Amino acid sequence: MIKELLKKILVSFTRKYDSIVAAIEQSKDLTIMSVAKLISFLEIHDKRLSSYEEDFIESVFQSKLNIRS
C-alpha cells in the first residue's frame, strides 16, 4: 500500500525532478520507505537546485559588474 502511494507521489512531479525521481526509484526500496523519508529526499534535492540557481544568478551579476569596471 505504501509503495503504491510513493509511486503516485513520484509520478506527480514535474520534469525538474526527473533525475531525483529516477535515482530514488532505482536506489531505494519503496516497500520500506516512509512518505516522510521520500519528502526529505525531495526537499534536499530542491534546496540543492535552488542553491545552484542562486550561485548562477550571483555569478551573472558579478560578471556584469566586472565588465562595467
Side-chain angles (χ1 to χ4, degrees):
M1 171 129 162
I2 295 292
K3 182 178 178 179
E4 290 82 20
L5 176 61
L6 294 177
K7 284 194 174 271
K8 286 180 181 181
I9 292 170
L10 289 172
V11 298
S12 70
F13 285 96
T14 61
R15 297 191 83 159
K16 175 181 174 181
Y17 292 90
D18 278 351
S19 62
I20 190 65
V21 168
I24 289 170
E25 288 177 333
Q26 291 176 4
S27 66
K28 306 296 181 192
D29 186 356
L30 297 180
T31 60
I32 60 172
M33 182 184 290
S34 68
V35 174
K37 191 67 170 177
L38 174 63
I39 291 170
S40 172
F41 286 132
L42 295 167
E43 286 175 340
I44 291 167
H45 181 70
D46 194 46
K47 286 179 184 176
R48 183 173 293 156
L49 288 177
S50 294
S51 97
Y52 292 151
E53 290 169 3
E54 289 171 10
D55 290 347
F56 174 75
I57 290 169
E58 186 176 312
S59 69
V60 168
F61 285 135
Q62 187 63 38
S63 296
K64 285 185 177 185
L65 288 173
N66 289 340
I67 291 171
R68 290 182 181 171
S69 296

